[in-house]
């Protein structure tokens, strides 16, 4: 408060004494007046003064205004005035920026008043509760006030809202407000709320913010919409940028698919307004947020795949190849496509297949490279194309091979009708524009990045320098241009061409001993490098010296000692004599100490304010970081250490070969183990089956042993009683065991015969029961037929009587009608005659008598008609009853018919079973007879049961005859 008073005293043009007194009186009225109208008028007056006399109103009235918000919530008008007044006090938007000092002072006032307001956290909570009011005059000023608080002291207000119960959820309801003014200001409020606060960003995202914002963008017309679309896109960027959780939620919610219609820009004549350009620019940036190289690789990869699957990448490529697109939109589209395809093989393959709509069609890569090496194109567009080419080749060995193959002699188009990517890169590499040299060198270096095969393939490239001279290799031509230095007049930076060529050579020679050998084979290269490093040049040339030192160090570190004149040890001695090891290491350190080195190492995108700053490539900075230390160690190593290192390398190679051999052996053994495991599993199954078979056989053997022991015991008893017979049997060659076995079989067959006889008797009894319980089918059918015939006769008679009665009723009704008409005519004639002629008394008596007779006849007829109706009613009831009886008899007949069918089926089954039993009995008798004959042949005495059996047989024959007779009756 003291600060505010000091500021107030320091103002040059303060209010008059009367205005200060007026503000004080108004504050007193707000604080002390009991009438709501008085307080409302006072707050309205303070609102009108708050813009001009912001400081005074803020100092004196803020406390009273907050009290009004707490106590007068029932009156929306006074609440709206209070909120507007607080907004005028805190906000800096309405201040007229006359002077810089007054503007700074205004900003200080806003932040100080905001600090006073949020010192009591209940004030912010109160403001959040007021936002729940639907009244426009309360909700809209509340939204503006809270937005102003967030702009002044964002982090503090964010923390208060974060800990407030349902604070963020209340603010999310603003997006669903039907009044566009509140909804749009709600978007601005959420922008300020979500800025640099990951926790609030997550809450807002999970409160369905993505769905609502995308709906608003669609309703407003996507890229053709107004500033509301711009605000929604900025809010979406706040929610997604550097927030992996929200990015994953956005992808999992299938919201990427809803971005595709944004880029359906229509034909080239539709026009490009400034707002549309801004909207489309923000939409492209939003896509880049999802696939940024700074995101986790897994999240970026999944978003890239989703964009290809939903057709978003295809739509971006359409814009890329379209005509009439503004330059800044085209540049941003190229950058967006670059990051969508970066490191994603599927997307890179699709991009390689895209053709420009030209005649004849050319690959999009070729068209873009033509723009990159064209010095008339804008600088930012050339940087974007270079970035696109780098992203296309990033982790894409297939694409690298395709680019390098366009330079090889076997694939170059001899007719010259079409220009390839390799030819464009070579043309840019040797042009007189230094920026084209640098871009082409870096692009070619990316075609060799981490790909030893293509480094070796590029050594085959031959260039025709001039007519009559032999072709020169690409490596030799690069070193030739490098040695010429500033002798060639070039446009642009002096060192840019040399830096680009040196980066290309360093990338080419690293991890490729064959390329190092080719480089050292040119005797002029090493003296040139040592001469460049040894000279004391200015600051601009120090970077070139550092890169020359790096190239010479790579030639030492990756040297395979195949050239005797340039072996490792000789090169190190040359450095020590001409340059000095310390000086060499110092010059090597110039690279990483350069001011532009750290800038290039931060992001993969080549984003430079002007061509002069285009010195280092991002991937090259990684290579320097990797090689600087190992080259330093290699320089300081002695020859003995080199020999030891070579021996160690050889040992390691041998070890690697041994390890590879054992790996192959292990792989083969793993295959053999798998086969053996499969064999073991099959053998286990077979073993289990055999075990079960053995167990079954053991149990059978045990049963046979038990039977054998039992027969042995029985045979012992038989031997005691029938010794003579056993002797005779043995004399005939028959063993006692066989006789016992035959006896057992005879006994078993007898028991089976008895069982079958009992079953047969049960079946016969069951059939007899069925016969006795079943009514005669013929009788049932006859009775049912008789009953149905009788019922039909009765129905016919009733129908005839009913027809006779109906005819009588009709005739009588017609007669009644006739008499009624006659009566009516007589009455009319009587009345007419009475009116016309006076009738004597006798004639009146006659007429009355006739009338009485007619009425009597009518009443009699009516009575007879009533009786006939009653008779008809009785007959109809009797007919209904007879019909019900007929239906019941029909249902009974159907039930009896079903039972008859069931009984017939049962009788048929019983007969079949009986026949089967008879067959079994015949078989049994035949077996018994054969066994008895066999026993007689063996001399064994047989019991005389023939008579009994014959008697049983006679009984069975009699039963069969009875059955056949019964079936005949049936």
């Amino acid at each position: 408060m003291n600060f505010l008073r000091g500021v107030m005293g320091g103002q040059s043009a303060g209010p008059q004494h009367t205005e200060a007194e007026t503000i004080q009186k108004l504050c007193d009225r707000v604080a002390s007046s009991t009438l709501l109208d008085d307080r409302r008028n006072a707050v309205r007056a303070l609102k009108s003064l708050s813009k001009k006399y912001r400081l005074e109103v803020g100092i004196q009235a803020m406390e009273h205004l907050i009290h009004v918000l707490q106590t007068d919530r029932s009156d929306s008008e006074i609440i709206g005035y209070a909120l507007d007044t607080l907004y005028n006090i805190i906000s800096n938007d309405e201040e007229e920026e006359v002077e810089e000092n007054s503007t700074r002072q205004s900003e200080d006032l806003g932040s100080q008043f905001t600090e006073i307001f949020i010192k009591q956290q209940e004030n912010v909570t109160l403001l959040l509760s007021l936002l729940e009011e639907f009244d426009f005059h309360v909700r809209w000023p509340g939204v503006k006030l809270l937005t102003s608080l967030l702009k002044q002291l964002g982090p503090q207000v964010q923390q208060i809202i974060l800990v407030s119960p349902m604070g963020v959820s209340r603010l999310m309801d603003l997006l669903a407000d039907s009044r566009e003014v509140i909804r749009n200001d709600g978007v601005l409020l959420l922008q300020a709320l979500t800025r640099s606060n990951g926790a609030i960003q997550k809450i807002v995202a999970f409160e369905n913010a993505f769905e609502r914002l995308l709906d608003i963008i669609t309703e407003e017309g996507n890229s053709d919409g107004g500033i509301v679309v711009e605000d929604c896109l900025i809010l979406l960027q706040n929610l997604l940028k550097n927030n992996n959780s929200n990015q994953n939620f956005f992808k999992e919610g299938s919201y990427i698919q809803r971005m595709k219609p944004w880029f359906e820009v229509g034909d080239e004549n539709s026009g490009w307004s400034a707002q549309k350009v801004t909207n489309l620019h923000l939409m492209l940036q939003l896509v880049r947020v999802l696939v940024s190289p700074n995101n986790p690789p897994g999240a970026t990869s999944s978003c890239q795949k989703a964009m290809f699957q939903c057709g978003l990448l295809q739509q971006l490529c359409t814009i890329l190849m379209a005509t009439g697109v503004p330059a800044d939109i085209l540049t941003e589209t190229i950058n967006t496509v670059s990051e969508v395809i970066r490191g994603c093989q599927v997307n890179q393959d699709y991009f390689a297949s895209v053709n420009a709509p030209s005649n004849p069609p050319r690959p999009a890569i070729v068209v873009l490279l033509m723009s990159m090496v064209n010095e008339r194109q804008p600088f930012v567009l050339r940087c974007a194309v270079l970035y696109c080419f780098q992203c296309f080749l990033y982790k894409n060995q297939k694409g690298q091979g395709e680019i390098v193959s366009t330079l090889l002699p076997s694939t170059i188009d001899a007719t010259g009708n079409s220009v390839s990517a390799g030819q464009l890169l070579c043309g840019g590499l040797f042009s007189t524009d230094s920026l084209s040299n640098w871009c082409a060198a870096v692009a070619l270096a990316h075609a060799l990045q981490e790909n030893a095969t293509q480094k070796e393939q590029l050594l085959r490239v031959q260039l025709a320098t001039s007519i009559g001279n032999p072709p020169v290799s690409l490596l030799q031509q690069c070193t030739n241009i490098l040695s010429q230095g500033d002798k060639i007049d070039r446009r642009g930076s002096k060192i840019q061409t040399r830096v680009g060529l040196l980066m290309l050579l360093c990338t080419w020679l690293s991890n490729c001993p064959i390329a190092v050998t080719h480089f050292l084979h040119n005797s002029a290269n090493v003296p040139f490098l040592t001469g460049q490093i040894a000279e004391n040049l200015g600051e601009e040339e120090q970077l070139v010296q550092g890169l020359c030192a790096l190239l010479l160090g790579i030639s030492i570190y990756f040297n395979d000692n195949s050239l005797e004149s340039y072996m490792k040890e000789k090169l190190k001695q040359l450095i020590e004599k001409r340059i000095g090891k310390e000086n060499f290491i110092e010059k090597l350190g110039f690279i990483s100490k350069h001011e532009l080195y750290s800038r290039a190492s931060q992001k993969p995108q080549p984003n430079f304010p002007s061509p002069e700053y285009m010195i280092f490539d991002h991937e090259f900075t990684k290579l320097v970081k990797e090689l600087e230390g190992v080259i330093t160690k290699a320089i300081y190593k002695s020859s003995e250490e080199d020999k030891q290192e070579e021996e160690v390398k050889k040992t390691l190679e041998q070890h690697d070969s041994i390890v590879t051999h054992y790996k192959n052996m292990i792989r083969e053994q793993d295959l053999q183990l798998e086969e053996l495991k499969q064999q073991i599993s099959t053998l286990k199954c077979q073993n289990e089956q055999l075990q079960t078979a053995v167990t079954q056989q053991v149990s059978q053997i045990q049963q046979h042993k038990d039977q054998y022991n039992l027969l042995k015991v029985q045979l012992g008893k038989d031997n005691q009683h029938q010794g003579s017979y056993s002797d005779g049997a043995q004399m005939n060659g028959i063993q006692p065991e066989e006789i016992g076995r035959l006896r057992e079989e005879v006994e078993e067959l007898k028991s089976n015969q008895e069982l079958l006889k009992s079953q047969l008797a049960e079946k016969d009894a069951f059939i007899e029961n069925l016969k006795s319980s079943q009514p005669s089918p013929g009788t049932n059918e006859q009775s049912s037929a008789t009953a149905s015939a009788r019922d039909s006769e009765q129905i016919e008679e009733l129908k005839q009587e009913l027809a006779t009665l109906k005819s009588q009723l009709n005739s009588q009704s017609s007669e009644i009608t006739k008499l009624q008409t006659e009566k009516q005519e007589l009455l009319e004639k009587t009345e007419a005659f009475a009116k016309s002629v006076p009738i004597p008394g006798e004639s009146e008596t006659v007429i009355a008598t006739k009338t009485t007779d007619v009425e009597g006849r009518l009443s009699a007829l009516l009575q007879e008609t009533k009786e006939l109706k009653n008779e008809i009613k009785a007959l109809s009831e009797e007919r209904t009853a007879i019909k019900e009886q007929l239906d019941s008899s029909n249902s009974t007949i159907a039930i009896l018919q079903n039972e008859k069918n069931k009984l017939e089926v049962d009788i048929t089954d019983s007969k079949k079973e009986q026949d089967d039993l008879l067959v079994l009995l015949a078989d049994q008798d035949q077996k018994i007879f054969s066994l008895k004959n066999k026993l007689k042949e063996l001399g064994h005495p047989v019991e005389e049961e023939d008579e009994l059996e014959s008697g049983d047989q006679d009984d069975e024959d009699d039963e069969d005859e009875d059955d056949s007779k019964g079936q005949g009756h049936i």
Side-chain angles (χ1 to χ4, degrees):
M1 194 65 74
N2 292 331
F3 168 79
L4 295 174
R5 289 195 180 93
V7 173
M8 179 181 172
Q11 281 185 335
S12 59
Q16 298 295 325
H17 188 61
T18 55
E19 279 80 3
E21 290 178 353
T22 302
I23 293 170
Q24 183 62 45
K25 288 178 181 178
L26 291 172
C27 292
D28 294 340
R29 284 176 62 189
V30 172
S32 60
S33 180
T34 57
L35 293 176
L36 180 61
D37 290 340
D38 291 344
R39 295 200 302 276
R40 187 189 302 120
N41 293 331
V43 175
R44 186 192 294 117
L46 287 173
K47 174 191 171 184
S48 62
L49 293 170
S50 60
K51 290 184 179 180
K52 188 174 182 180
Y53 304 109
R54 178 182 173 192
L55 178 61
E56 292 73 21
V57 174
I59 292 172
Q60 299 184 46
M62 181 176 283
E63 185 178 351
H64 301 296
L65 293 171
I66 294 171
H67 184 70
V68 167
L69 296 178
Q70 295 170 345
T71 58
D72 292 329
R73 290 192 61 172
S74 59
D75 186 71
S76 61
E77 192 174 357
I78 191 172
I79 294 294
Y81 292 147
L83 291 171
D84 282 331
T85 307
L86 288 171
Y87 173 74
N88 292 336
I89 294 169
I90 291 172
S91 174
N92 298 322
D93 296 340
E94 302 296 331
E95 283 291 328
E96 296 181 359
E97 298 180 3
V98 181
E99 296 180 359
E100 185 179 352
N101 293 332
S102 64
T103 303
R104 189 180 298 110
Q105 193 177 69
S106 168
E107 292 175 356
D108 291 341
L109 279 177
S111 61
Q112 289 296 325
F113 283 131
T114 302
E115 189 174 354
I116 294 170
F117 184 83
I118 67 172
K119 191 172 185 180
Q120 299 294 328
Q121 294 188 7
E122 295 80 7
N123 295 339
V124 179
T125 307
L126 174 64
L127 184 56
L128 290 172
S129 65
L130 288 172
L131 290 178
E132 293 181 346
E133 297 288 339
F134 189 73
D135 193 305
F136 181 81
H137 298 290
V138 176
R139 180 173 269 198
W140 189 39
V143 171
K144 293 195 295 181
L145 176 58
L146 187 57
T147 306
S148 182
L149 292 173
L150 285 164
K151 287 180 179 178
Q152 297 291 344
L153 293 174
Q156 293 90 323
V157 180
Q158 285 174 344
Q159 194 61 32
I160 296 171
I161 294 174
L162 191 60
V163 299
S164 176
M166 299 295 291
V168 178
S169 300
R170 292 172 182 173
L171 300 179
M172 285 301 300
D173 293 337
L174 299 173
L175 294 181
D177 200 305
S178 59
R179 295 160 293 191
E180 290 190 2
V181 176
I182 294 178
R183 184 198 69 183
N184 298 343
D185 282 352
V187 173
L188 296 175
L189 169 60
L190 290 172
Q191 279 184 23
L193 179 67
T194 56
R195 191 172 289 115
S196 304
N197 193 307
I200 293 179
Q201 289 169 2
K202 291 179 183 178
I203 296 172
V204 171
F206 282 95
E207 287 285 346
N208 208 20
F210 293 139
E211 184 78 28
R212 295 183 184 181
L213 291 172
L214 292 173
D215 287 342
I216 293 171
I217 292 172
T218 304
E219 290 170 6
E220 296 291 327
N222 294 329
S223 60
D224 293 321
I227 195 169
V228 179
V229 174
E230 178 182 348
D231 294 336
C232 291
L233 291 169
I234 293 171
L235 177 55
L236 283 171
Q237 284 193 19
N238 287 352
L239 295 174
L240 292 172
K241 197 169 187 178
N242 300 322
N243 194 317
N244 300 328
S245 174
N246 283 2
Q247 290 174 8
N248 187 54
F249 181 66
F250 191 84
K251 180 186 71 68
E252 295 295 335
S254 301
Y255 296 120
I256 291 177
Q257 288 81 339
R258 296 187 60 179
M259 298 170 71
K260 183 188 174 185
W262 295 355
F263 303 103
E264 295 173 357
V265 295
D267 57 4
E268 56 187 273
N269 299 322
S270 60
W272 291 85
S273 63
Q275 187 62 55
K276 181 175 181 178
V277 170
T278 303
N279 291 344
L280 203 57
H281 203 273
L282 289 169
M283 289 171 178
L284 292 167
Q285 287 181 350
L286 190 63
V287 175
R288 293 185 65 185
V289 166
L290 295 171
V291 292
S292 172
N294 297 327
N295 295 342
T300 301
S301 176
S302 59
C303 288
Q304 288 172 333
K305 291 176 182 176
M307 289 176 183
F308 174 74
Q309 291 168 358
C310 73
L312 180 58
L313 175 60
Q314 293 85 329
Q315 199 65 45
L316 292 173
C317 290
T318 303
I319 298 175
L320 194 67
M321 295 290 105
T323 56
V325 180
D328 52 347
I329 294 297
L330 181 61
T331 303
E332 190 63 25
T333 304
I334 294 172
N335 288 326
T336 306
V337 171
S338 305
E339 294 183 352
V340 172
I341 67 173
R342 187 176 189 269
C344 182
Q345 188 66 52
V346 177
N347 294 5
Q348 289 168 339
D349 291 343
Y350 170 76
F351 184 70
S353 66
V354 175
N355 288 323
S358 59
N359 191 14
R362 289 178 175 173
I365 298 172
V366 173
V367 176
L368 291 174
L369 288 177
M370 291 172 70
S371 301
M372 186 186 74
V373 298
N374 186 353
E375 57 185 302
R376 289 191 294 272
Q377 294 292 340
F379 172 67
V380 290
L381 179 63
R382 299 174 74 180
C383 291
V385 173
L386 175 62
Y387 184 45
C388 184
F389 191 74
Q390 292 174 352
C391 291
F392 170 67
L393 297 177
Y394 183 71
K395 294 183 178 179
N396 183 11
Q397 293 193 353
K398 179 183 175 183
Q400 290 174 328
E402 291 173 354
I403 296 299
V404 172
S405 66
T406 58
L407 286 165
L408 299 178
S410 59
T411 58
I412 294 176
D413 187 4
T415 59
N417 292 331
S418 61
V419 181
S420 66
Q423 290 172 335
L424 288 171
L425 291 176
C426 282
L429 194 63
F430 307 128
S431 72
T432 56
D433 177 35
S434 61
L435 184 59
S436 297
N437 301 152
W438 190 92
C439 291
V442 171
L444 201 54
H446 277 262
L448 307 174
Q449 201 78 39
E450 298 179 359
N451 195 331
T453 304
Q454 302 309 323
K455 291 177 181 178
E456 295 176 6
Q457 288 292 320
L458 200 63
L459 295 172
R460 296 169 49 202
V461 176
Q462 300 290 321
L463 302 174
T465 54
S466 59
I467 299 173
N469 292 328
V472 180
S473 68
L474 178 62
L475 183 65
Q476 182 62 43
Q477 185 65 16
C478 290
T479 54
N480 291 341
I481 296 172
L482 190 62
S483 61
Q484 290 175 3
D486 296 333
K487 295 178 182 178
I488 300 175
D489 186 18
R490 299 180 187 277
R491 294 178 296 276
S493 174
K494 294 181 179 180
I495 64 169
Q496 202 168 35
T497 301
R498 286 181 289 165
V499 170
L501 289 170
L502 285 168
M503 287 195 296
L504 172 60
L505 291 172
C506 290
T507 306
W508 194 348
L509 269 60
S510 62
N511 294 295
C512 187
I514 298 175
V516 171
T517 302
H518 278 72
F519 178 76
L520 295 176
H521 195 270
N522 187 350
S523 58
N525 290 338
V526 173
F528 167 73
L529 292 177
T530 53
Q532 288 286 319
I533 299 168
E535 289 182 9
N536 292 321
L537 303 173
E539 293 182 0
E540 290 185 357
E541 297 294 331
Q542 285 183 352
L543 179 58
V544 176
Q545 288 183 318
L547 292 171
C548 290
L550 178 65
L551 182 59
L552 186 57
I554 290 171
S555 302
I556 295 172
Y557 185 73
F558 295 103
N559 192 344
D560 58 358
N561 293 327
S562 58
L563 293 175
E564 293 185 3
S565 56
Y566 292 109
M567 296 177 67
K568 283 185 178 182
E569 187 59 32
K570 291 183 177 180
L571 288 173
K572 287 195 286 187
Q573 292 174 0
L574 184 65
I575 289 173
E576 190 171 1
K577 289 179 181 178
R578 296 192 178 180
I579 304 169
K581 291 182 179 180
E582 291 78 7
N583 191 22
F584 179 85
I585 300 303
E586 182 184 358
K587 297 290 176 70
L588 183 63
F590 285 162
I591 302 173
S592 57
K593 292 177 182 177
H594 198 277
E595 57 181 353
L596 298 177
Y597 175 86
S598 59
R599 180 171 182 171
S601 63
Q602 292 172 1
K603 293 181 180 180
Q605 182 183 1
N607 189 10
F608 305 103
S610 62
E612 291 76 17
Y613 291 88
M614 210 169 190
I615 298 296
F616 286 109
D617 174 56
H618 177 75
E619 292 296 328
F620 180 74
T621 59
K622 292 182 181 179
L623 182 67
V624 171
K625 194 179 296 183
E626 177 187 347
L627 294 179
E628 188 175 5
V630 295
I631 289 173
T632 303
K633 291 180 182 178
I635 294 297
Y636 280 110
K637 280 180 183 177
S638 61
S639 59
E640 295 179 357
E641 289 176 345
D642 283 337
K643 289 179 181 179
Q644 292 177 358
E645 186 176 352
E646 289 294 331
E647 292 176 359
V648 170
K649 280 185 179 180
K650 290 180 181 179
T651 306
L652 288 174
E653 289 176 358
Q654 293 176 358
H655 177 71
D656 289 340
S657 64
I658 294 169
V659 169
T660 305
H661 175 67
Y662 280 114
K663 280 182 179 179
N664 295 330
M665 287 179 61
I666 291 168
R667 194 177 294 109
E668 292 174 358
Q669 290 175 357
D670 286 339
L671 296 174
Q672 293 175 0
L673 280 174
E674 290 296 327
E675 293 177 357
L676 292 173
K677 283 179 181 178
Q678 293 177 358
Q679 293 178 5
I680 288 169
S681 62
T682 53
L683 290 173
K684 279 184 178 179
C685 295
Q686 294 176 2
N687 187 23
E688 290 175 358
Q689 294 175 358
L690 292 173
Q691 287 287 347
T692 54
V694 168
T695 306
Q696 292 175 358
Q697 290 177 0
V698 167
S699 63
Q700 290 177 2
I701 290 168
Q702 188 63 37
Q703 289 177 2
H704 290 311
K705 282 183 178 179
D706 295 339
Q707 291 177 2
Y708 174 74
N709 293 330
L710 182 62
L711 291 171
K712 195 174 181 181
V713 171
Q714 291 178 356
L715 185 61
K717 291 179 181 179
D718 293 340
N719 287 334
Q720 290 177 2
H721 296 290
Q722 300 174 356
S724 61
Y725 172 74
S726 299
D727 294 337
Q730 288 178 359
M731 287 171 63
N732 292 327
I734 304 299
Q735 295 296 329
E737 290 83 357
E738 188 175 356
I739 295 170
R741 182 176 59 78
L742 293 173
R743 187 180 288 113
E744 287 293 326
E745 289 182 1
V746 170
E747 293 296 329
E748 185 178 356
L749 290 171
K750 282 183 180 180
S751 61
N752 288 337
Q753 185 181 12
E754 293 297 328
L755 180 62
L756 292 171
K757 283 181 179 180
S758 62
Q759 289 179 358
L760 183 60
E762 290 176 0
K763 293 290 181 182
D764 290 339
F766 180 69
I767 292 166
E768 290 298 326
N769 291 333
L770 290 173
K771 287 177 182 179
S772 61
S773 62
Q774 180 187 8
S776 178
T779 306
N780 287 336
E781 290 175 0
Q782 187 177 1
S783 60
S784 62
T786 306
S788 61
R790 187 171 60 252
D791 292 339
S792 61
E793 289 175 359
Q794 290 177 0
I795 290 166
E796 290 296 328
E797 290 174 0
L798 290 171
K799 284 182 178 179
Q800 290 175 1
E801 290 177 3
L802 183 62
T804 306
L805 291 171
K806 280 184 177 179
S807 62
Q808 291 177 3
L809 180 63
N810 291 330
S811 63
Q812 289 177 0
S813 61
S814 62
E815 188 176 354
I816 289 166
T817 307
K818 184 177 180 183
L819 289 171
Q820 283 178 348
T821 54
E822 288 179 359
K823 176 187 174 184
Q824 188 68 27
E825 289 175 357
L826 286 171
L827 288 172
E828 290 176 356
K829 287 179 180 180
T830 305
E831 288 176 359
F833 186 74
K835 288 178 181 178
S836 61
V837 180
I839 302 171
E842 292 180 358
S843 61
E844 290 177 0
T845 306
V846 173
I847 291 168
T849 303
K850 287 183 179 180
T851 304
T852 304
D853 292 340
V854 171
E855 287 179 354
R857 288 171 65 188
L858 282 172
S859 62
L861 288 170
L862 289 171
Q863 184 65 30
E864 190 177 354
T865 303
K866 189 180 290 184
E867 290 175 358
L868 288 171
K869 284 183 178 179
N870 291 332
E871 288 180 6
I872 290 168
K873 186 176 182 183
L875 287 172
S876 64
E877 289 177 355
E878 187 177 355
R879 179 189 174 191
T880 305
I882 290 169
K883 199 171 184 179
E884 289 177 354
Q885 289 178 2
L886 181 61
D887 293 338
S888 63
S889 63
N890 287 333
S891 63
T892 306
I893 289 167
I895 292 168
L896 290 172
Q897 188 68 28
N898 291 333
E899 290 181 355
K900 174 190 171 185
N901 294 333
K902 290 181 181 177
L903 288 170
E904 287 178 352
V905 171
D906 292 339
I907 288 166
T908 305
D909 294 341
S910 300
K911 189 176 180 182
K912 287 181 180 178
E913 290 180 1
Q914 187 178 3
D915 293 339
D916 294 340
L917 290 171
L918 289 173
V919 172
L920 288 172
L921 283 172
D923 293 341
Q924 292 291 338
D925 289 338
Q926 186 67 30
K927 286 184 180 179
I928 291 168
F929 183 72
S930 63
L931 290 170
K932 282 183 179 180
N933 290 334
K934 199 170 184 180
L935 288 171
K936 286 178 182 180
E937 290 175 0
L938 295 171
H940 192 277
V942 181
E943 296 177 1
E944 295 297 331
E945 295 178 355
D946 296 337
E947 295 178 358
L948 294 173
E949 289 175 359
S950 62
D952 294 338
Q953 187 65 33
D954 293 337
D955 294 338
E956 288 174 3
D957 293 339
D958 294 337
E959 289 175 359
D960 292 338
E961 289 176 1
D962 294 338
D963 292 337
S964 61
K965 288 178 183 179
Q967 290 173 0
H969 289 301
I970 291 169

